[in-house]
Amino acid sequence: MLLLAGSVLAAPQPGRRVWQRRTPPPADSLLATSLPADAAAQPPLRRPAAARLQELSQQHEFQYTDVTETPANPSLWDRLLSWIWDHLSRLLDTRGGHLVWNTLWYGLMGATLIFAVLKLLQVDITKVFGRAPRALPLAYEMGQENIHELNFADALAQAETAGNLRLAVRLGYLQLLKQLTDRDFIAWQPDKTNQTYLRELAASQPTARPAFAELTRQFEYAWYGELPVSAALYQRVRETQRQFGQQLSGAGRAAHLT
């Protein structure tokens, strides 16, 4: 009974498609269907025109640079440079070399940023780096002037004659400081800053502070900022200094009368 049932199940049923596995054709049949050999004649070899070759050789894309080989007997200088670069490349390939390089790089970038900020803030950094003072046509040392001992008329005449207009702007500003001190609007001291004088002037003579603040800005741009001062610019700045000096004289007389 089991054999009979297996034969019944194995027999194909009506309406049901039986899939059969196809075997690949033999290799001989594939060779029989291959393409025949090309019996055409050898095509002629085409060469570009000489004028076209010359035109192409003149184009930038086809300009190649020959790499020069290392000379057989390099000079002492070449051997020294090769030795330096070889050791430097080996050093930079190490972890410590990368750390040193990054430290130097970021340190340089930080120093550049600090220098730019100090310049924008108009801070005199010449003393920080120990730069020697410039030779001036006057017989006194800059930074150590006593405004009560200076002959401003002679000093200004010498600076203008020598063409040192930046120094002339400085002398005119110092002359205004002396006038403010003589009228007790400020208390001059060699170690005080210009901002200190502005605060003192705002407390004693508020109406004079805006004009003096503009003169201070002009002086700091010309002197600490090393702004080139042309003859026309100097005439405008000097005229503004004279006008402010005349206002101080009128304010001083009015205060004396009261």
Side-chain angles (χ1 to χ4, degrees), residues 45 73 85 113-114 128 146 169 190 193 199 206 215 218 234:
L45 180 64
N73 297 320
W85 284 114
L113 180 61
I114 293 174
V128 177
N146 188 339
V169 172
T193 65
R199 288 193 295 268
L215 290 169
Q218 294 173 356
Y234 172 72

Side-chain angles (χ1 to χ4, degrees), residues 73-137:
N73 297 320
S75 62
L76 179 61
W77 176 252
D78 293 334
R79 291 198 299 269
L80 177 61
L81 288 180
S82 178
W83 180 85
I84 292 175
W85 284 114
D86 181 60
H87 283 71
L88 185 60
S89 61
R90 292 180 183 178
L91 176 63
L92 293 179
D93 288 338
T94 62
R95 183 176 181 180
H98 280 291
L99 179 61
V100 172
W101 173 256
N102 291 334
T103 303
L104 292 176
W105 173 254
Y106 288 113
L108 180 61
M109 294 298 294
T112 304
L113 180 61
I114 293 174
F115 178 79
V117 171
L118 292 178
K119 275 294 186 180
L120 290 175
L121 295 177
Q122 305 175 17
V123 177
D124 186 13
I125 60 175
T126 57
K127 296 181 181 180
V128 177
F129 296 98
R131 188 172 67 178
R134 301 179 178 180
L136 299 173

Side-chain angles (χ1 to χ4, degrees), residues 196-254:
T196 303
Y197 294 136
L198 286 173
R199 288 193 295 268
E200 294 178 357
L201 186 61
S204 61
Q205 197 73 15
T207 57
R209 187 195 181 283
F212 187 66
E214 176 63 20
L215 290 169
T216 301
R217 187 187 67 86
Q218 294 173 356
F219 159 68
E220 291 179 345
Y221 266 98
W223 187 252
Y224 299 117
E226 299 184 359
L227 178 70
V229 180
S230 62
L233 178 60
Y234 172 72
Q235 292 298 330
R236 292 197 297 269
V237 173
R238 186 65 187 134
E239 180 61 27
T240 306
Q241 290 177 345
R242 291 194 186 96
Q243 293 177 1
F244 185 76
Q246 294 174 359
Q247 294 176 6
L248 292 180
S249 299
R253 286 193 299 267

Side-chain angles (χ1 to χ4, degrees), residues 131-152:
R131 188 172 67 178
R134 301 179 178 180
L136 299 173
L138 299 180
Y140 61 85
E141 184 179 359
M142 299 305 301
Q144 302 296 327
E145 309 102 324
N146 188 339
I147 61 175
H148 300 290
E149 297 177 358
L150 283 178
N151 188 334
F152 286 102

Side-chain angles (χ1 to χ4, degrees), residues 4-13:
L4 180 61
S7 61
V8 172
L9 293 174
Q13 300 178 5

